[in-house]
Amino acid sequence: MAPDYPGGPAGENSVVGMIDGHVAAATDSEGRERTFLLTKVDGNGLQWKDPATGQPRKAPTPILSHEFRQDADGRIELLGPAKVLLTNGPHHDGLIEGQFVVHENGQSYLIYSAGFFGNSQYRTYIAKLDLLSNSVRDERILIDSHSSALGGQWNGPGHPAFVRVGEGLHAMSLHVWRNGTEYSQYGD
């Protein structure tokens, strides 16, 4: 993930966790439903200064897709290696996380958050998703602290979850905190 990471308190081979698990399904061309576990590699915890430039560095935070099946006895079998579905880019301010998949009108959408939650720059993106080809495209911001839906009262909308409440209509839950308050104390 970060081959030039020099080590640190965790040592040379630090353990990087997987968080933000989400299960999504897709139907292949033969009509079989295939199931995928999406996780975020928690790489934003690996930070260091580049020895050559002295500039701060962070490990990437990819979202992985891992196909699996659950046997009748409840055991889960992973089918092949995990694939990188999306990796944070410069416009993500250092990390992506909180992925969720919504299916609507034959299209799957990946919704995920990016940036630092501790300021008003944290935001949530939406992109078209094809789990079978492991592709994400047409990414755009879905909601941020400046979105009119928040009425100028909330910061840091992210880590979304959706519940379908009608044809083409989903309720979205996410974490935010009120403008003028400290996010670590008043985040909801």
Side-chain angles (χ1 to χ4, degrees):
M1 186 175 74
D4 56 341
Y5 177 65
E12 291 296 320
N13 296 311
S14 59
V15 176
V16 177
M18 303 290 227
I19 62 172
D20 297 345
H22 179 72
V23 173
T27 304
D28 67 18
S29 61
E30 298 172 7
R32 292 178 297 150
E33 184 174 87
R34 295 166 57 186
T35 311
F36 299 84
L37 173 64
L38 278 61
T39 57
K40 171 208 165 182
V41 176
D42 202 15
N44 51 299
L46 297 181
Q47 300 180 29
W48 69 98
K49 285 193 183 211
D50 187 299
T53 66
Q55 295 296 310
R57 296 276 316 274
K58 286 183 184 179
T61 59
I63 293 174
L64 303 180
S65 171
H66 206 140
E67 187 172 4
F68 73 94
R69 79 169 158 240
Q70 187 169 11
D71 296 329
D73 65 0
R75 293 177 191 238
I76 292 177
E77 179 184 354
L78 300 176
L79 306 175
K83 296 178 181 171
V84 175
L85 190 58
L86 183 67
T87 299
N88 62 298
H91 64 292
H92 295 126
D93 298 329
L95 70 99
I96 53 177
E97 61 189 3
Q99 65 278 355
F100 199 94
V101 175
V102 171
H103 306 283
E104 191 62 47
N105 294 326
Q107 176 65 58
S108 297
Y109 297 92
L110 178 66
I111 299 119
Y112 60 94
S113 300
F116 175 58
F117 180 58
N119 63 34
S120 64
Q121 300 306 307
Y122 196 75
R123 61 221 174 261
T124 296
Y125 286 85
I126 185 169
K128 291 181 180 176
L129 169 67
D130 184 336
L131 279 167
L132 299 175
S133 68
N134 203 54
S135 67
V136 176
R137 66 185 197 290
D138 300 335
E139 171 191 59
R140 65 181 174 85
I141 291 179
L142 177 64
I143 191 168
D144 64 15
S145 296
H146 308 291
S147 295
S148 60
L150 298 178
Q153 298 180 30
W154 300 96
N155 281 313
H159 274 248
F162 292 81
V163 175
R164 187 181 176 121
V165 294
E167 186 65 34
L169 184 62
H170 293 80
M172 177 174 60
S173 298
L174 38 77
H175 64 50
V176 296
W177 81 94
R178 282 199 182 277
N179 275 340
T181 64
E182 170 63 37
Y183 83 93
S184 63
Q185 187 175 0
Y186 297 104
D188 293 327

